[in-house]
């Protein structure tokens, strides 16, 4: 199993550009989440989903959109990139049987100039 | 806002020594988890302790939980250079975990 796959691994954007960070999991997990990790800040929850068609906001949702049309995919969209969105983004998933334990992707390192 | 706060922020030890890391949290919990992050990688789950448990072991890891003090500790015994990583405590459930800021552990060969 590949687990949680994030693409791209690295991305550089200019202020105002939009892009989508991809996240796919092959474990048939119901729960998926997006976090951002900034130096000295730990991980902060952006958006999460408890199943296909159901999403909700986390701690820092502004500037980001998500959708969950399938169980496998949970893309994160930056609508108009800002330098404050320079960060490392992690996608995670968990299954109903061990729903508190999250499996993380390798991350996407994003720089907004 | 951060639910968990780890202590110390950084720890440097010699291979073979034990490493103890602490986590304090603010609100009541159902469980607490510890994760490890190697440089440039995603987080990996280490161990989960439920609120009705006081101690749990997994290999060289020992986790304690004191709900009266809202604190947890992670002990890594007989540390190895490969244990060099950042360690995070996390609380919450399902897809909504709240992480601390992490502890950077360096194990010198």
């Amino acid at each position: 199993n590949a687990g949680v796959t994030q693409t791209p691994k690295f991305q550089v954007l200019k202020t105002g550009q939009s892009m989508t960070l991809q996240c796919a999991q092959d474990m048939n997990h119901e729960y998926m989440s997006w976090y951002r990790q900034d130096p000295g800040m730990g991980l902060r929850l952006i958006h999460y989903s408890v199943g296909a068609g159901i999403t909700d906001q986390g701690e820092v949702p502004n500037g980001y959109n998500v959708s969950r049309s399938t169980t496998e995919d949970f893309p994160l969209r930056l609508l108009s990139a800002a330098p404050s969105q320079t960060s490392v983004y992690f996608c995670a998933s968990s299954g109903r049987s061990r729903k508190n334990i999250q499996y993380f992707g390798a991350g996407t390192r994003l720089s907004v100039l | 806002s951060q639910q968990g706060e780890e202590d110390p922020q950084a720890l440097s030890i010699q291979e073979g020594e034990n490493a103890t890391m602490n986590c304090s949290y603010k609100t009541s919990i159902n469980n607490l988890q510890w994760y490890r992050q190697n440089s440039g990688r995603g987080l990996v789950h280490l161990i989960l302790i439920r609120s009705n448990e006081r101690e749990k072991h997994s290999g060289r890891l020992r986790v304690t939980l004191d709900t009266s003090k809202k604190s947890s500790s992670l002990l890594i015994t007989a540390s190895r250079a490969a244990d060099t990583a950042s360690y995070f405590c996390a609380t919450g459930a399902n897809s909504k975990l709240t992480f601390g800021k992490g502890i950077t552990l360096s194990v010198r060969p």
Side-chain angles (χ1 to χ4, degrees), chain A residues 11 13-21 77-81:
Chain A
Q11 184 70 48
L13 292 178
K14 295 181 179 178
T15 297
Q17 286 185 316
S18 62
M19 79 158 293
T20 299
L21 279 64
R77 297 183 187 84
L78 280 69
L79 308 173
S80 177

Side-chain angles (χ1 to χ4, degrees), chain A residues 36-52:
Chain A
R36 59 177 290 172
Q37 183 176 32
D38 302 295
M41 296 292 293
L43 278 77
R44 292 181 291 170
L45 182 64
I46 304 172
H47 285 284
Y48 65 98
S49 170
V50 299

Side-chain angles (χ1 to χ4, degrees), chain A residues 25-59:
Chain A
Q25 52 92 7
D26 62 359
M27 297 174 283
N28 202 30
H29 282 172
E30 293 83 359
Y31 306 104
M32 297 187 75
S33 308
W34 275 103
Y35 297 89
R36 59 177 290 172
Q37 183 176 32
D38 302 295
M41 296 292 293
L43 278 77
R44 292 181 291 170
L45 182 64
I46 304 172
H47 285 284
Y48 65 98
S49 170
V50 299
I54 306 170
T55 64
D56 206 345
Q57 298 180 351
E59 181 186 354

Side-chain angles (χ1 to χ4, degrees), chain B:
Chain B
S1 60
Q2 244 72 30
Q3 161 75 310
E5 292 289 340
E6 295 95 345
D7 167 59
Q9 290 187 334
L11 183 60
S12 181
I13 59 174
Q14 200 75 31
E15 201 165 28
E17 293 180 336
N18 296 342
T20 299
M21 291 167 268
N22 303 301
C23 169
S24 59
Y25 56 92
K26 298 174 184 175
T27 61
S28 62
I29 60 171
N30 292 321
N31 62 79
L32 184 142
Q33 302 181 58
W34 286 89
Y35 285 78
R36 183 189 72 228
Q37 183 181 34
N38 291 94
S39 181
R41 308 291 290 273
L43 279 71
V44 175
H45 172 80
L46 293 176
I47 194 166
L48 179 150
I49 186 166
R50 303 188 192 285
S51 59
N52 60 354
E53 297 175 312
R54 291 296 167 260
E55 186 171 311
K56 196 165 184 178
H57 296 253
S58 177
R60 293 184 296 113
L61 306 180
R62 182 174 79 103
V63 171
T64 62
L65 180 64
D66 187 335
T67 54
S68 67
K69 295 181 180 178
K70 292 188 169 58
S71 67
S72 173
S73 67
L74 172 67
L75 169 68
I76 303 175
T77 60
S79 63
R80 306 167 182 169
D83 294 327
T84 294
S86 293
Y87 292 82
F88 296 85
C89 64
T91 58
N94 302 338
S95 47
K96 293 181 63 179
L97 294 188
T98 301
F99 289 85
K101 296 180 181 179
I103 298 170
T104 300
L105 173 65
S106 297
V107 181
R108 304 186 302 273

Side-chain angles (χ1 to χ4, degrees), chain A:
Chain A
N1 284 345
V4 179
T5 302
Q6 290 185 238
T7 56
K9 294 190 186 314
F10 302 94
Q11 184 70 48
V12 179
L13 292 178
K14 295 181 179 178
T15 297
Q17 286 185 316
S18 62
M19 79 158 293
T20 299
L21 279 64
Q22 302 292 343
C23 175
Q25 52 92 7
D26 62 359
M27 297 174 283
N28 202 30
H29 282 172
E30 293 83 359
Y31 306 104
M32 297 187 75
S33 308
W34 275 103
Y35 297 89
R36 59 177 290 172
Q37 183 176 32
D38 302 295
M41 296 292 293
L43 278 77
R44 292 181 291 170
L45 182 64
I46 304 172
H47 285 284
Y48 65 98
S49 170
V50 299
I54 306 170
T55 64
D56 206 345
Q57 298 180 351
E59 181 186 354
V60 288
N62 292 341
Y64 307 95
N65 272 357
V66 292
S67 60
R68 184 97 181 270
S69 57
T70 66
T71 300
E72 294 78 19
D73 299 301
F74 191 42
L76 178 72
R77 297 183 187 84
L78 280 69
L79 308 173
S80 177
S84 61
Q85 293 178 305
T86 293
S87 187
V88 182
Y89 291 85
F90 289 99
C91 179
S93 73
S94 55
R96 195 175 301 277
S97 60
R98 301 179 75 196
K99 58 186 177 182
N100 296 317
I101 297 173
Q102 291 195 323
Y103 296 82
F104 282 79
T108 295
R109 187 175 297 273
L110 176 69
S111 294
V112 183
L113 306 177

